[in-house]
Amino acid sequence: MSALLRQIPANIPEDIRKIRIENSHLTELPRGSFENVSALEYLWLNFNNITVMHIKSLEYLLALKELRLQGNKLSSVPWTAFQDTPALKILDLKHNRLDVLPEHALRYLPNLTYLDLSSNQLTVISRDVFYNWPVYQRSQRAEGQIEAMSNAVLALHDNPWICDCRLRGFVQFIKSVGPPIILMNSYLTCSSPKFRAGKFFHEVELNSCMKPLTSALDTNVTVPVGLNVTLTCFVQASPSPAVWWTYALKLLRAFNVSTEHISEETIRSELLIPAARPADSGNYTCTAANFLGNTSVAITLHVGAPWVSTSSPGWAPIAPAEPGTHVEVRIAKQTVYGITLEWFAVAAAAAEPGETWYTLLVGRYDAAQKDAIYIGPGVNTYSVTDLLPATKYEVCVAVRNQAPRKGQCVVFVTGSDVSQMEQREKLIHIVVIAQAAGSKESTLDSLPAGSEDGLCQPEGGRGARRPPAREEPGKTRPPHRNSADLY
């Protein structure tokens, strides 16, 4: 107890029947950990730091009756390891980090009478996990002879259950379970989705799972220049799907996307395009996906002719400017790969700076077309990241969708050496004067010229205002463990 053991001792006497090592520093159970103590019947390894259990860690323990691993850090268990312990009756795994229970998990525990999986990270389980349990199968065959069978205690409480269609079979099992299987705590509760959080299993009725079905009331939209336009798609799916919009093969950031549930299985997703320009014309695709598959619907947007202007191509003002707002812009911080901009508006009597929308135009200095980033009221800072080092860039701040004028743009060169740039991090104050028109209209933070990284979030709304970092070429994402793959 509380010993500084980092591995199972190798000199345990062969006739030992009970081992108890608790509050120590064990981190794994390697292969053949107990190969010299085949008489072992009780093994208690509670409150260690065990994260890995080898598939042959219990080899030669044919007499083992009790295994307790409470309070460790196991995120998975090699369930086939229990083929080496056919006599096991008690298995305690509470207070670990188990997040998946495969369908074959209990198949190799024919004599188990106590299984504790409480206080783990289980979210979704197939009912087949328990239908494959020999104890349950024997109870079904025995029918009227159930009273002659020994009871099996099952603990599954205090897990973050996701009560959607994927849990339907398991919830039905819990509602119908009876002797010889006894639940230690039969009041299992839902953790999500939000509208079911805190409800008991016996209070919910779950529907069958359904692949997403997408639709739109209008798939061909025509608007005049300068008008705000909202594209809407509807998605029916169970479980709740991820929904995102694409334009010209680019993912649109979530800042301008609003997604909400209008019923348990129906979602409305809206893409807001403020002050539409001819460059915004094209096909916008709404895509929805859950573990059953994905579908999409395309909406074609036509924007009328632009206002005649002598400004640079793509930077034409959308509406006449109205005087009233002075804008002060500064580079708050500059690094090798980006800058952080801050700006402050000082309004005349007729204008309200707190209701003013801004447009940031970002791109290489010699680029004819810059990326447009739309910033809503109340926001006065934005970080531009992932720029190329030793490259000349230009960033302009304009009020609403006006064309930038002389004095409203900042030209800078990204650094080529990190240490050099860190020494140069200063505040650079640049005062510019811009004409503004106060507006209460909704708009977006980024539209088609945005990044490919902005997959919209299920709940919609404004997300973080810092653009997400691009993945490094050749770098793969870590594998994502998804319980839904079991269904």
Side-chain angles (χ1 to χ4, degrees), residues 410-428:
V410 176
V411 177
F412 65 97
V413 178
T414 51
S416 57
D417 179 73
V418 175
S419 60
Q420 176 187 359
M421 285 303 302
E422 288 176 346
Q423 294 173 4
R424 294 178 55 201
E425 287 179 0
K426 302 177 181 179
L427 296 184
I428 304 173

Side-chain angles (χ1 to χ4, degrees), residues 288-337:
N290 63 16
F291 75 95
L292 289 174
N294 65 79
T295 56
S296 60
V297 60
I299 301 177
T300 302
L301 175 66
H302 304 276
V303 181
W307 288 75
V308 177
S309 172
T310 58
S311 300
S312 301
W315 289 22
I318 301 307
E322 295 180 11
T325 301
H326 300 278
V327 180
E328 178 182 339
V329 183
R330 72 177 184 178
I331 298 179
K333 186 176 182 180
Q334 182 173 353
T335 63
V336 174
Y337 301 108

Side-chain angles (χ1 to χ4, degrees), residues 191-207:
S191 292
S192 61
K194 287 183 179 180
F195 62 90
R196 289 201 178 106
K199 289 191 175 182
F200 295 119
F201 278 18
H202 64 263
E203 296 177 321
V204 301
E205 291 294 335
L206 303 179
N207 298 323

Side-chain angles (χ1 to χ4, degrees), residues 385-396:
T385 60
D386 296 330
L387 302 179
L388 298 174
T391 304
K392 190 175 183 180
Y393 284 92
E394 183 179 31
V395 180
C396 300

